[in-house]
Amino acid sequence: MIPKTKGKIIPIEPSSPSAAAMSRFVRRLAGIPWRQIAGEASSVGLLMAQGLCAVHVVSEHVLGVAFPRGPSMLPALNMAGDVLLTDKVSPRRGWVGPGDVVLLLSPEDPRKIVAKRVLGMEGDEVTYPVDAGNSDATKTVVVPQGHIWVQGDNIYSSNDSRQFGPVPYGLVKGKMSYRIWPPSRIGSIDSKE
């Protein structure tokens, strides 16, 4: 307790060693430039937030990375998964055409993103096998306006436009342009026309 004497505060010297240590600790804390540290921390935090926002914008709207898995695109893509660069600008500019491998929202499950090859654009006539494993029967369709026809390269194990029909062009999220993993297959993704 600090006694008051006519408006003046007279500090009492600590009597125990622990109180003396605490007093030294408090004096040391008072000597730290807290405002400068807080200013630098907020500057670094703001810079990091700006960097993360830039990365997000680029990966969502310019160039992203995709990890497609499954048998539907064999042999073009590995079943265990390749790492691919995905061009997000091409679909918005209308630069997607037959032979391109695209990333799109599944028309059957919008929470799922699938990789398929574009076989036809709006107005194109597409002939496809009805039941590739069991018969030679084919069917021909005309792709409606604003839609594309997509199929997996492995027609025996692919759920694609043969089952769910033409896909609205707006579901295309990116065009797979370049494989960056595995190292033995680095390079452009082949276009089949």
Side-chain angles (χ1 to χ4, degrees), residues 44-122:
V44 169
L46 182 61
L47 186 62
M48 286 177 61
Q50 289 172 339
L52 290 173
C53 287
V55 167
H56 172 74
V57 167
V58 168
S59 69
E60 286 294 316
H61 302 289
V62 180
L63 187 69
V65 178
F67 308 93
R69 297 188 185 284
S72 75
M73 284 302 292
L74 284 172
L77 302 179
N78 287 326
M79 188 168 163
D82 291 329
V83 179
L84 306 167
L85 289 180
T86 306
D87 171 13
K88 306 283 182 98
V89 175
S90 291
R92 288 194 307 273
R93 305 291 275 170
W95 298 338
V96 172
D100 290 334
V101 178
V102 294
L103 212 75
L104 56 110
L105 289 176
S106 169
E108 297 178 318
D109 182 2
R111 294 172 295 170
K112 190 175 177 183
I113 295 181
V114 296
K116 302 292 178 198
R117 190 173 301 276
V118 177
L119 291 187
M121 303 299 289
E122 63 181 45

Side-chain angles (χ1 to χ4, degrees), residues 160-180:
D160 48 41
S161 287
R162 293 171 299 152
Q163 287 79 32
F164 48 71
V167 176
Y169 190 82
L171 294 181
V172 177
K173 297 301 172 195
K175 178 173 135 182
M176 311 265 202
S177 55
Y178 198 79
R179 183 186 340 260
I180 57 176

Side-chain angles (χ1 to χ4, degrees), residues 141-156:
V141 296
V142 175
V143 181
Q145 187 173 2
H147 289 69
I148 59 174
W149 188 270
V150 294
Q151 281 182 208
D153 287 354
N154 181 2
I155 60 171
Y156 302 105

